[in-house]
Amino acid sequence: IFVDLALAQVAAFGATVGFLWGFGLHSTASYLIALAFTLLGAAIFALTRLRRPIVPQEALIGVVYAVAAAAAILVLSRAPEGGEELKGLLVGHLLFVEWSEIGKMLGLYSLIGALHWLLRKPFLTISQNPEQAFAQGVRVRWWDFVFYATFGFVVTSSVEMAGVLLVFSFLIVPAVCGVLLARGIGQRLAVGWVVGALTSIAGVSASYFWDLPTGATVVCAFGVSLLVCALLKRSRA
C-alpha cells in the first residue's frame, strides 16, 4: 500500500534534482526528470517482488521513501527558497492550478483508468493472490512493472500540483473507506469516489472559511473521513 507514497516521494525527489540542474520545479524538463526517476523506482519495486523474499518488500519501500525524502530536503536546503519549495512538494499548490492543467489531468487519468480496466484481470490476480499467480506461471514482475509504470505517470503529474501528502491521501483513504463500507470491487469503487469527492469539497471549503493552507486542510479532512468510516463500520458490526 505504501508503494503509492514511495513513488510519489521519488517523483518529488526527481523534480528537486531537475531544480538542482537549473530547471524550474514546474517546468517540462523537471517533469520529465521526475518521470524518469519514478519509472526507475517502478522497475526497482517490480524486480524486488519475490515469491519467497528474505526481507519483506515493504522494508525496501520504506527505505526508498525515507532516502528520497531526505535527499529532496538536502537538495532544496541549498536553494534560497528551498523551504517554500519543500512545502509545495508536500502539499502542492491547488489554488493556483489552471483549467488547462485540469484538462490535461483529466485526459491522462482517463487514459490510465481505461488501460487499467482492460488489464484488470492480471492486476487483480497478482494483487489478491500473488502466490497463486506465481504458481500459475504469471509474469508477476512484468505485470508489477506495467502497473507501477502507468501508475507513475499519474503520480508524477499529480505531485506537481497536489503534493506528496495529498496524492497519498487521495490514493489510499478513499480506497480504505471502500474496503470498510463495501464488499464487491464495484461497490468499493463507488464508495471511494463518493468519499473522495465529498472530502475534497469539505476540505477546500474549510480552508476557505478558516483561512488555512488548502493542501494540508484536505489531507486532515481525509483523516476525519477515515475516522467516520471506521466508526460507521464499527456501528454496523
Side-chain angles (χ1 to χ4, degrees):
I1 195 171
F2 290 104
V3 167
D4 307 339
L5 181 61
L7 283 181
Q9 187 59 60
V10 169
F13 173 53
T16 62
V17 170
F19 181 74
L20 181 65
W21 290 345
F23 303 108
L25 276 178
H26 306 296
S27 64
T28 301
S30 179
Y31 172 82
L32 293 176
I33 294 171
L35 180 61
F37 272 70
T38 306
L39 293 178
L40 177 60
I44 292 173
F45 292 148
L47 291 174
T48 54
R49 171 76 169 266
L50 304 176
R51 186 172 183 177
R52 295 182 179 87
I54 300 176
V55 177
Q57 191 184 33
E58 288 77 8
L60 174 64
I61 293 171
V63 169
V64 170
Y65 167 75
V67 171
I73 293 173
L74 289 177
V75 171
L76 291 177
S77 68
R78 312 305 299 175
E81 299 179 357
E84 191 64 29
E85 296 293 355
L86 179 61
K87 176 184 174 183
L89 286 174
L90 288 176
V91 295
H93 59 286
L94 290 179
L95 297 183
F96 302 98
V97 177
E98 299 180 354
W99 284 107
S100 59
E101 293 182 82
I102 295 176
K104 293 177 182 178
M105 293 302 100
L106 176 61
L108 176 63
Y109 294 171
S110 299
L111 180 61
I112 298 299
L115 181 61
H116 281 201
W117 171 257
L118 293 174
L119 301 177
R120 65 190 182 279
K121 185 175 180 180
F123 285 164
L124 289 174
T125 300
I126 65 174
S127 298
Q128 297 177 339
N129 200 336
E131 186 63 31
Q132 179 183 342
F134 274 112
Q136 293 177 346
V138 177
R139 300 174 65 186
V140 175
R141 296 183 188 86
W142 162 252
W143 287 113
D144 266 348
F145 177 73
V146 171
F147 176 80
Y148 293 149
T150 53
F151 179 68
F153 280 92
V154 174
V155 169
T156 305
S157 303
S158 303
V159 164
E160 184 178 357
M161 67 172 64
V164 174
L165 298 180
L166 191 53
V167 168
F168 178 73
S169 298
F170 266 113
L171 290 170
I172 298 302
V173 175
V176 173
C177 291
V179 171
L180 290 173
L181 301 179
R183 293 186 177 181
I185 293 179
Q187 293 177 339
R188 289 175 177 177
L189 280 173
V191 171
W193 291 336
V194 171
V195 169
L198 294 180
T199 303
S200 300
I201 295 172
V204 172
S205 299
S207 71
Y208 173 78
F209 288 112
W210 294 333
D211 193 24
L212 298 170
T214 306
T217 305
V218 176
V219 171
C220 291
F222 271 113
V224 174
S225 296
L226 182 58
L227 177 61
V228 170
C229 290
L231 293 174
L232 288 174
K233 172 67 174 179
R234 184 177 179 83
S235 66
R236 292 165 51 183

